[in-house]
Amino acid sequence: MTYSPFFIHGADRPSRWLITCDHASNLVPPDIHGGDLGLPREDTERHIAYDVGAYEVSKHLGELLNAPVIAANFSRLVIDPNRGEDDPTLLMKLYDGSIIPGNRHADAAERERRLNMCYRPYHDALAQMAALPHAVIVSMHSFTRQLRGRDPRPWHVGVLHTPDERFSGPLISRLEAEGDLCVGVNEPYTGVLPGDAIDKHCTSFGRPNALIELRNDLIAERAGQREWAERLAPILQDALDQSGL
């Protein structure tokens, strides 16, 4: 079968929402280092390779919100679609204690090849979808409960946001109102990363958005994935209603 660097679900769904999932897959395309970056299976199945559970949550959330979903179909270790093209972490050679053998000798020419094969086609497709009138963009991610050698992270869910808080502000308030959630605000990462997917497709165009990080042990299995999608759908709609956008 012909390789495609992205998936699109429900392209014709009519709601204002656009759900994106940058780190949906741990796939290494066949033309990249023979389809194998030389990692043991345990590394290909953890957070360094992709955002565990995020793709399944995204798909179900898209169904519930009647929204299109676009997801990258390559591992973040091949090339990271949530980084700018000039970001030094675009092509990682060491991540959370694991050396990436297939990236060890990747030079500028290999980086450009991967940009053309994976990164740029995904962003071209995302740019077309993000240009829908009045789009509200929700970028779905997941994070590991504990990095090697670090303290456990307490948050169940994080919202990363830029200075534009028209939508993210009401969303944070609505999540905090749930009462049983530990909500991270720009945790476990900052919401301002020049050149990342939100910057490229939202900040530069003034489009309302939020990046949601779910702790991956909560969505590693199907039950948790569906539970979180079903919990987030009305929360997102409430936040949008409260925003007045």
Side-chain angles (χ1 to χ4, degrees), residues 61-111:
L61 189 59
E63 292 169 356
L64 294 169
L65 292 173
N66 203 19
V69 179
I70 180 168
N73 185 29
F74 52 92
S75 172
R76 66 192 302 166
L77 296 178
V78 170
I79 197 138
D80 194 331
N82 196 34
R83 296 292 184 272
E85 290 195 18
D86 59 351
D87 193 303
T89 65
L90 179 71
L91 200 162
M92 295 288 282
K93 300 186 179 185
L94 174 69
Y95 195 174
D96 194 24
S98 293
I99 295 171
I100 320 303
N103 292 348
R104 184 175 181 181
H105 300 295
D107 58 12
E110 176 62 11
R111 173 182 168 278

Side-chain angles (χ1 to χ4, degrees), residues 28-44:
V28 179
D31 290 341
I32 303 292
H33 209 262
D36 184 348
L37 293 176
L39 288 165
R41 173 174 284 188
E42 65 182 39
D43 275 341
T44 67

Side-chain angles (χ1 to χ4, degrees), residues 119-131:
Y119 180 104
R120 289 170 181 152
Y122 169 66
H123 280 289
D124 287 347
L126 176 48
Q128 291 184 20
M129 298 182 73

Side-chain angles (χ1 to χ4, degrees), residues 156-194:
H156 300 107
V157 56
V159 177
L160 311 191
H161 66 86
T162 67
D164 179 0
E165 299 181 53
R166 290 174 297 163
F167 174 63
S168 59
L171 175 59
I172 291 165
S173 297
R174 181 62 180 78
L175 285 165
E176 290 175 337
E178 290 287 282
D180 64 335
L181 296 177
C182 182
V183 180
V185 178
N186 277 344
E187 298 286 1
Y189 312 106
T190 176
V192 179
L193 184 62

